[in-house]
Amino acid sequence: MQNQNAILEDLARLASSVAGTVAGAGREAEAKLKEKLREAMGGVDMVSREEFEAVREMAANARAEVAALRAELDALKAKG
């Protein structure tokens, strides 16, 4: 009986060790993938969310202004 308990304890330690090793390998793989992605994206120009939102707002304002000018031009054409 003592022998079986010792075997079970050894198996439990082995399983715990394997789980720790697998988790460590997963973290290492994730870190390497992130590093490779950063290297690959190095030549790509990225903008921040704030810059994107500012340009999007500017574009919306420009579209609204163009629509207003178009309406004004159409009104002038109709008069003329």
Side-chain angles (χ1 to χ4, degrees):
M1 192 67 155
Q2 289 285 2
N3 196 15
Q4 283 183 332
N5 284 342
I7 291 172
L8 290 177
E9 286 176 14
D10 287 344
L11 285 175
R13 277 194 291 269
L14 179 62
S16 177
S17 175
V18 168
T21 300
V22 169
R27 286 189 298 271
E28 186 176 333
E30 181 182 1
K32 287 201 181 273
L33 178 62
K34 285 181 180 179
E35 180 182 330
K36 291 292 182 187
L37 283 173
R38 269 190 227 107
E39 288 174 7
M41 299 298 285
V44 178
D45 289 334
M46 302 294 258
V47 297
S48 68
R49 170 58 72 184
E50 292 80 19
E51 290 171 321
F52 174 80
E53 293 296 335
V55 171
R56 189 168 81 169
E57 184 178 342
M58 287 170 39
N61 291 340
R63 281 191 296 274
E65 187 176 343
V66 166
L69 290 172
R70 224 179 243 146
E72 187 178 333
L73 182 60
D74 289 343
L76 289 172
K77 284 181 181 179
K79 281 184 181 179

